[in-house]
Amino acid sequence: MTRPRHLTRQLILTLTIGTVVLWTAAASVTTLLIGAEFDETFDSALRQTAQRLLPLAADGLGDHDGDEEGHEIPRFGAEKEELLAYQVRNADGAVLIRSLDAPVAGFDALLSRGFTNVGGMRIFTEGLPSNRIFIQVAEPLSHRRDSLMQSMATLFLPLGAVIPVAALGIWLAISRGLAPVGELQREIADRGATNLRPLKAMDLPVELAPIASSVGRLIERLRLAFDAERAFASNAAHELRTPIAGSLAQTQLLLAELKGTPTEARARSIEASLKRLGDLAEKLLQLSRAEAGIAATEQPVDLLPVVDLLVEDCSRRTDTAGRLHFEIEPGANLCRPMDRDAFAIALRNLLDNALLHGAKSEPVVVSVGADGSVHVRNGGPAISPETLAALKNPFVRGRTTAHGSGLGLAIVETIMSQTGGRLELNSPATGRSDGFEAILRFAEAGPHVRQAFHLAPEQET
């Protein structure tokens, strides 16, 4: 599964890496240029030193032109090691004069004018026009490398401090720049099938304003389409209730007259069809109310009496035959910001579903857990995971011979999602190898709920 990309993180990482790469490239090019400048500067210093010392050495040796070999080499003291060393040599290569740091033996370089790299030294050779006296000035190549490394350190070491500062600056700039994007994202994310309010007015940049405008128009079109759909379903179901009820009454009167005749079976088939049609109209009305967003309330209410009432009402039905069992765990509490009618619609659909599709020989257990959840369990064959995942969709039914509309669980899912809760479906049921279980899990109780009902911490969901 591909991980979702985070735009802010990706921009910060990309820009920071780009900054580091550009800094490194610029520092590398600068280092190359500095190295070339160093070579040029140091070579110029070698050349100037040689050209200045050579006339002085020639003048000092002027009286000994025929006896250069026997000339005494002066020694010049120094407090520290000099970077430049020189030797004055005759045409035969003998050292006539040398600096204190120069070796006694001649440099291992030819007596030809120009630069030579020998033995880790950069040597410049200069001679008189007569080619009788030459001077060689040498500089250690390590000095140039050390100077270049110091320059590189000056360029690269600040990078360690620049990276976090640059990343922080980039993060601040991107966070401020993308703040309108985040605001628009939160506004759009809050919209859904149960929340089609217009987008609030926002001060967006010109790049985002068309997006917000287009999304706003799309939400408005969806809201109108949903309103029209709900209105049609509600009006159609409401208008059908009266004629269906009248037709059912007339059919039942007809059944009384046809009792014992061959046409009684056909009349009973008509009665069953009218009952199914009436149930479908009732479910459509419930679905229309659920999609209208009636579930959530601002103030919490106690829903436990609703559970008692519904269980008692279903237990009185002749077709239940004492199948309903009601259990409440110690410390159970159902104080939630939810409309009682919406909760009654949701729970009634779960009870009808369990009584209709559950095994007739096994009880239907309704329990309220200590965590504030409501469980409805019934017997019967286990349902496959694929079918179980699709049961919350409208008009989807499992493998059953019982009649139904396929809307009950979709209505419950719609109602629970409006309150921040959820509907969980399990098969097999908890603690069993078969059966079916539906669980209503509510959003956690907020501070206003605890204050209004004086809930102890252990009573919170």
Side-chain angles (χ1 to χ4, degrees):
M1 183 178 179
T2 304
R3 289 185 59 185
R5 294 187 300 170
H6 196 289
L7 180 59
T8 302
R9 187 182 299 115
Q10 185 177 358
L11 286 175
I12 293 174
L13 183 62
T14 302
L15 292 177
T16 302
I17 293 176
T19 301
V20 172
V21 170
L22 289 176
W23 182 292
T24 303
S28 300
V29 172
T30 302
T31 300
L32 294 176
L33 295 177
I34 290 176
E37 289 295 327
F38 277 176
D39 287 340
E40 184 178 346
T41 301
F42 290 141
D43 285 350
S44 177
L46 287 177
R47 184 184 297 108
Q48 292 179 15
T49 302
Q51 291 174 351
R52 291 177 181 177
L53 290 178
L54 182 58
L56 298 176
D59 289 342
L61 297 173
D63 298 332
H64 307 279
D65 287 345
D67 192 23
E68 292 91 343
E69 295 287 346
H71 181 70
E72 182 181 0
I73 301 174
R75 307 279 294 177
F76 302 98
E79 296 180 358
K80 61 180 181 178
E81 182 181 358
E82 297 293 336
L83 295 176
L84 298 181
Y86 65 89
Q87 292 178 344
V88 178
R89 305 169 66 181
N90 60 15
D92 296 330
V95 178
L96 305 178
I97 303 175
R98 67 182 179 89
S99 64
L100 180 62
D101 294 332
V104 175
F107 292 123
D108 189 15
L110 297 176
L111 294 177
S112 60
R113 293 178 177 83
F115 291 95
T116 307
N117 292 339
V118 177
M121 305 288 286
R122 178 74 166 171
I123 301 175
F124 178 74
T125 303
E126 184 65 270
L128 292 176
S130 62
N131 291 329
R132 295 177 59 247
I133 298 178
F134 295 86
I135 187 170
Q136 291 183 319
V137 183
E139 175 194 16
L141 290 175
S142 59
H143 173 241
R144 299 191 180 195
R145 288 195 299 269
D146 292 342
S147 300
L148 187 60
M149 293 300 296
Q150 291 177 4
S151 300
M152 289 179 62
T154 304
L155 292 173
F156 282 98
L157 287 180
L159 192 59
V162 168
I163 291 176
V165 174
L168 178 61
I170 291 171
W171 177 77
L172 291 174
I174 291 178
S175 298
R176 293 189 61 183
L178 294 181
V181 178
E183 185 179 5
L184 180 59
Q185 173 199 358
R186 289 187 292 271
E187 276 294 304
I188 296 177
D190 287 340
R191 301 303 181 269
T194 58
N195 179 11
L196 294 175
R197 298 192 312 271
L199 298 177
K200 71 177 184 180
M202 294 175 285
D203 185 16
L204 297 175
V206 294
E207 293 84 359
L208 296 178
I211 298 177
S213 177
S214 299
V215 172
R217 289 195 299 269
L218 177 60
I219 290 175
E220 178 64 17
R221 291 181 62 183
L222 287 174
R223 185 184 64 80
L224 293 176
F226 279 132
D227 288 346
E229 181 182 344
R230 284 195 293 263
F232 173 78
S234 178
N235 293 334
H238 181 74
E239 293 297 328
L240 285 173
R241 292 175 71 182
T242 301
I244 290 173
S247 299
L248 183 59
Q250 293 297 324
T251 302
Q252 290 172 344
L253 290 175
L254 183 61
L255 275 171
E257 296 176 2
L258 297 176
K259 189 173 183 180
T261 64
T263 56
E264 180 183 3
R266 295 175 61 185
R268 290 200 179 278
S269 178
I270 295 173
E271 180 191 29
S273 297
L274 288 173
K275 285 183 178 180
R276 289 196 297 270
L277 186 58
D279 290 340
L280 178 59
E282 185 65 30
K283 296 296 183 184
L284 288 175
L285 277 173
Q286 292 180 1
L287 182 61
S288 177
R289 293 187 62 195
E291 291 181 343
I294 64 169
T297 60
E298 294 184 1
Q299 298 299 326
V301 295
D302 190 1
L303 302 177
L304 198 54
V306 179
V307 182
D308 289 327
L309 181 62
L310 288 176
V311 171
E312 182 180 356
D313 182 59
C314 290
S315 299
R316 292 175 180 173
R317 289 165 43 181
T318 57
D319 58 341
T320 60
R323 291 173 56 198
L324 273 178
H325 292 191
F326 184 29
E327 303 173 355
I328 303 179
E329 295 185 10
N333 188 284
L334 278 181
C335 298
R336 297 293 180 271
M338 184 174 184
D339 182 78
R340 286 191 177 94
D341 289 340
F343 176 71
I345 292 173
L347 184 57
R348 184 57 179 263
N349 275 282
L350 293 184
L351 294 176
D352 290 343
N353 187 76
L355 292 169
L356 180 63
H357 301 291
K360 306 300 181 183
S361 60
E362 298 187 40
V364 173
V365 180
V366 181
S367 62
V368 180
D371 60 350
S373 59
V374 179
H375 301 245
V376 179
R377 293 185 293 271
N378 60 267
I383 302 174
S384 66
E386 296 77 13
T387 303
L388 193 68
L391 285 179
K392 297 180 185 180
N393 298 325
F395 302 105
V396 174
R397 304 176 68 233
R399 293 182 178 180
T400 176
T401 58
H403 296 291
S405 62
L407 289 174
L409 296 179
I411 293 172
V412 179
E413 173 71 10
T414 301
I415 290 175
M416 293 303 297
S417 64
Q418 293 175 10
T419 61
R422 65 184 186 278
L423 168 65
E424 291 183 5
L425 303 179
N426 296 326
S427 184
T430 303
R432 298 183 51 155
S433 60
D434 61 356
F436 178 84
E437 180 180 25
I439 307 174
L440 299 181
R441 295 197 184 276
F442 300 88
E444 294 186 359
H448 61 288
V449 177
R450 297 194 298 269
Q451 182 178 3
F453 289 87
H454 307 287
L455 300 183
E458 62 273 10
Q459 292 178 299
E460 297 178 22
T461 299

